[in-house]
Amino acid sequence: MASASKLYLLVSLMACSVLLASAGNFYRDMDITWGDGRGKILNNGQLLTLSLDKPSGSGFQSRNEYLFGKIDMQIKLVRGNSAGTVTAYYLSSQGPTHDEIDFEFLGNLSGDPYTLHTNVFSQGKGNREQQFHLWFDPTADFHTYSILWNPQRIIFSVDGTPIREFKNSESIGVPFPKNQPMRIYSSLWNADDWATRGGLVKTDWSHAPFTASYRNFNANACVATSATASSCVAKSRASRNNAWFTQELDTTNQKRMRWVQRNYMIYNYCTDKKRFPRGMPPECATANRS
């Protein structure tokens, strides 16, 4: 079975061509999909903003679908009292057995920290949440939020510092996102029924409109050309521009990730024994141990 899986991956890769890293332009790369004018592309395509008021939020999605890659976006989050709001930035496929890789930023009362919520869905199953506070004010300036996704692992990073790794644990029966191309999505929306302190703090609409800003999108990735094949050519695996295809955390970055998790992680599903009284998910014992 392992040989068949490797053959499938090789065939998929040979069906395609590589999208190399290049400066993003939102006019070219993204479509604003909802919000009735609350989403805007500005500065000749170099800046995108999403806004939320009481009638509606807004959102955008990428024109391309990707199957593996390193995706970077600089985001400046809603300033001030953003309680009740959620700024979501994620990769997702479609359908009931979809795959998904999530950054979600849960708003705060002025002076309280944002909660950075991460999750991984594979074949429609999620429930793999890890949450963090950040070591800086994510509303004062732009910061880079990155997803590295290759056949062996998913790495979430903030300003180049890894905060979470989700490894491929198919060998112990854990599905891993590897066959379904995913688009990039982002939205700014009202979730005051759960987002801030479990829904105890509601959105204060006197502060609307709430606005999040995006710039410097970059995709060093494989663009899907069909439902099952990416745009990577097999020889690109050895290309310097596609080092992400086999990238893993070196010793220095493992230490940096442990530092973040030790000091800024506020929830980890792999330690929530009350949630999993019949035993922890299998990947908790092996795949995510650094």
Side-chain angles (χ1 to χ4, degrees):
M1 291 296 293
S3 296
S5 177
K6 289 179 181 178
L7 178 61
Y8 168 83
L9 183 59
L10 181 61
V11 170
S12 294
L13 293 174
M14 290 178 69
C16 341
S17 63
V18 179
L19 174 69
L20 299 179
S22 60
N25 184 286
F26 289 118
Y27 282 124
R28 180 190 65 214
D29 299 323
M30 303 293 174
D31 288 317
I32 294 174
T33 49
W34 63 284
D36 194 23
R38 292 173 179 81
K40 294 181 172 61
I41 298 176
L42 306 166
N43 296 357
N44 296 316
Q46 300 306 302
L47 179 69
L48 189 153
T49 62
L50 296 180
S51 292
L52 163 70
D53 56 25
K54 196 167 187 178
S56 179
S58 51
F60 66 86
Q61 70 180 44
S62 63
R63 294 186 174 180
N64 288 324
E65 291 182 297
Y66 304 97
L67 186 60
F68 305 128
K70 184 175 184 296
I71 310 294
D72 305 310
M73 182 77 81
Q74 290 193 332
I75 306 174
K76 182 163 66 174
L77 297 175
V78 175
R79 299 201 70 167
N81 182 356
S82 57
T85 72
V86 172
T87 305
Y89 172 66
Y90 58 103
L91 290 166
S92 183
S93 61
Q94 299 297 307
T97 59
H98 76 292
D99 296 335
E100 188 171 318
I101 304 170
D102 292 342
F103 277 113
E104 290 187 286
F105 303 91
L106 313 186
N108 61 0
L109 288 167
S110 296
D112 289 346
Y114 260 81
T115 295
L116 170 52
H117 175 101
T118 67
N119 203 354
V120 175
F121 286 75
S122 51
Q123 297 182 16
K125 181 182 181 298
N127 300 322
R128 300 184 177 103
E129 301 91 345
Q130 291 184 357
Q131 294 184 338
F132 305 82
H133 286 156
L134 295 167
W135 51 96
F136 54 83
D137 178 359
T139 74
D141 203 349
F142 288 89
H143 293 269
T144 303
Y145 302 92
S146 304
I147 295 169
L148 184 145
W149 169 38
N150 65 32
Q152 297 81 36
R153 57 188 40 83
I154 296 164
I155 299 172
F156 298 78
S157 299
V158 178
D159 289 337
T161 296
I163 64 170
R164 176 179 185 179
E165 180 180 28
F166 183 82
K167 294 180 180 178
N168 185 332
S169 297
E170 290 178 306
S171 62
I172 57 172
V174 180
F176 184 82
K178 69 173 187 178
N179 297 325
Q180 300 187 72
M182 295 195 268
R183 292 188 193 276
I184 298 163
Y185 296 88
S186 190
S187 58
L188 176 57
W189 52 291
N190 179 41
D192 68 2
D193 56 336
W194 65 270
T196 306
R197 297 181 183 173
L200 294 177
V201 183
K202 302 302 181 181
T203 304
D204 183 349
W205 294 110
S206 69
H207 294 275
F210 305 98
T211 300
S213 302
Y214 303 75
R215 73 180 187 189
N216 290 344
F217 164 68
N218 193 73
N220 191 355
C222 306
V223 175
T225 56
S226 72
T228 58
S230 81
S231 69
C232 285
V233 183
K235 65 181 181 180
S236 74
R237 296 164 67 180
S239 168
R240 184 178 171 190
N241 287 319
N242 295 290
W244 53 263
F245 194 84
T246 56
Q247 186 173 334
E248 55 187 287
L249 293 177
D250 60 18
T251 301
T252 298
N253 278 305
Q254 287 177 13
K255 290 180 179 178
R256 294 170 74 194
M257 183 173 70
R258 285 196 293 268
W259 173 81
V260 172
Q261 294 182 351
R262 185 168 56 249
N263 291 285
Y264 296 99
M265 179 183 282
I266 59 172
Y267 177 79
N268 182 2
Y269 78 109
C270 280
T271 61
D272 193 343
K273 294 181 179 180
K274 291 182 179 179
R275 184 178 176 186
F276 302 102
R278 298 183 180 180
M280 304 305 292
E283 71 269 16
C284 292
T286 56
N288 293 321
R289 183 181 297 158
S290 57

